[in-house]
Amino acid sequence: MIEDRLLMLKFRKGSVETLARIYEKYKNDLLKLAVILSNDAGAAEDIVQDVFLNFARLAPNIKQAKNLKGYLTVAVVNQVRNHIRDCKRKNTTSLDDSDEVVSKLQRPEQWVILSEQLKLLSRAMAGIPYEQREVITLYMQGHTTFRQIAKIQNTSISTVQGRYRYGIEKLRKLLNHEVEK
Amino acid sequence: MRNADDIKRIFDEAVVETNPSKDEKILENITAAYKQTNKAQFEKIEPNVWRIIMKSRITKIAAAAVIVIAVLAGLPLLDSKQGVVLADVLAKIEQAQAFMYKMKMITTGDMMPSMPAGERLVESTVTISNSYGMKMEMTMTDANSGEKMTQQMYIIPEDEVAIMLMPSQKKYMRMEFDDDLLARMKKQNNGPREMIKQIMGCEHIELGCSVIDSIEVEGFQTTDPSFVGGAIENVDIRLWVDVENWLPVRAEMDFKMNEQMQMSCVIYDYQWDVQVDASEFEPVIPEDYTGFPTGGIMKLPSISEEAAIEGLKFLGEISGKYPKKLNFMDLMQEFEASPDREDKIENLTDAALKLQEEMEKMTEDEKIKKAMETMRLVQSISMFYMTLVQDKKDPAYYGESVGPDDADMVLLRWKVSDNQYRVIFGDLSAEDVTAEELTELETPLRE
């Protein structure tokens, strides 16, 4: 945490080297988060790239020095939500409709390479409602507390705990089903 | 798949790798966006610690006071091995229980880091008593602005304190002596006695006879760099004594501290064996004066290995390297010149940034207090090194080539006995080594 505070201090003062350190430190975690939430490797790449671009552009105004990881995580979550909303508006492939988005795309100059476990997890996660998916992912991967998630989702802690419980139950079944396949 | 722990395990095992060439391209894009951000919008790098210190006029005074005391305390204790004539002079003035003199000093250049360069006149009247301590009234005049500043300084060995009154600011500062520093100060009496001891301990020549204020005098001169323990590099000291009573009549001192600062000083109007009263050495602090720093007592620098290590540790962390030299002026100039500009952000260490962030949140008073503590740390190193030089302990310092990462390299060493040296290494651990071991340890530094 102290390391992050120092990174943010330097970053806000214009250190290019620090930007590179932050990028190296968090890009993989953010990509994984975006992949699990969106179940779309291509979209995840765009989302994470956009998050870093905005982060760089907004450098002088970013005040959340105390929790760099939290700041970037929330930025990814917000971008994924926007992406899902856009997809629904354009009536294009809904992420929840597809269980193969992660693996079907062979994009030129791919940025992410997913492990088999990640592909499995993403497919299973795509089968549960988005709010539950967000709670489980942030709790499991982002080491975010229910209280923090409640703030991100603008809801009560008990609602978040409920989403987690229901989500885990569904995910367990989906993963068992995936394994059996 | 039984429970949440199994799912957590899958989360942990689900990993992402990235394509390195794409990684680079994306980082380039991000960096370009970052560089396009209006530079003026970035947070300014706050001035480094010294500049924060020197922003406040009152801190400048306090900082100067510490230096005055440090230099006074650091004056050497040298035994006479030569100079019979000077020894006679010393014997004569040591009989005086109390004496007074006046001092006029002109400084040019940067007297203190961050103070505007220019000529300054400092006039003082000093009274020294063997029983009660020292009292100094000082007026400092800035030649450019004509601005005057007065101070009264009392050193009271019995109470182990120095008190400085600043009438124009209606402030007073109470400074406590460290035991080592006090012991060192107690061993000596300031003023002309010290100067004679110093000259006696240094290479010096006799200047022959002359006349000052109708008094026939004989002169002695030293330009020995070991004067004041190497704290001042270019010295020219001349002492004139009355050939009839062997008491000093006038002393002239010229120092060139470094390229930035020169100092010319005359001590005159000596009065020997004056009658003094204890009350003259007790400062009377008017009711409307406030303490500075608020609520705090300032500690003067320590003279010890531990304090020196603490100071080196602080500087090593703040600047990522050790100072090149350990004498006062160079050390202060070097510390002040440490990076503080936007284009040098990469050079700022984490410790420097943390300190700056900490200081940004402080009140002015807290800032001053912190700055003074910081200065004390830095001055402790100089004081320690100065005493090693003065005590002829064969010190050597390698800050120019040894840094915090050079764990096994000799950073500072000095002699503790005939065949034993004390060594502070690059990682600031300290050890006793034999002369032979030291030779081996220093080989890479000589190459």
Side-chain angles (χ1 to χ4, degrees), chain B residues 385-429:
Chain B
Y385 186 70
M386 201 163 84
T387 58
L388 295 178
V389 175
Q390 287 163 356
D391 296 348
K392 297 192 185 310
K393 290 191 172 171
D394 188 23
Y397 175 70
Y398 300 101
E400 212 149 348
S401 43
V402 176
D405 294 333
D406 302 313
D408 303 321
M409 303 270 272
V410 178
L411 177 64
L412 173 65
R413 58 101 158 138
W414 66 96
K415 201 169 192 170
V416 286
S417 65
D418 276 351
N419 192 40
Q420 286 277 310
Y421 279 81
R422 185 80 175 153
V423 173
I424 295 176
F425 293 92
D427 64 358
L428 299 181
S429 59

Side-chain angles (χ1 to χ4, degrees), chain A residues 19-36:
Chain A
L19 173 67
R21 273 175 65 193
I22 294 171
Y23 173 76
E24 276 307 319
K25 185 173 179 185
Y26 287 115
K27 69 175 167 47
N28 285 16
D29 280 351
L30 296 179
L31 280 165
K32 179 175 160 185
L33 176 70
V35 166
I36 296 172

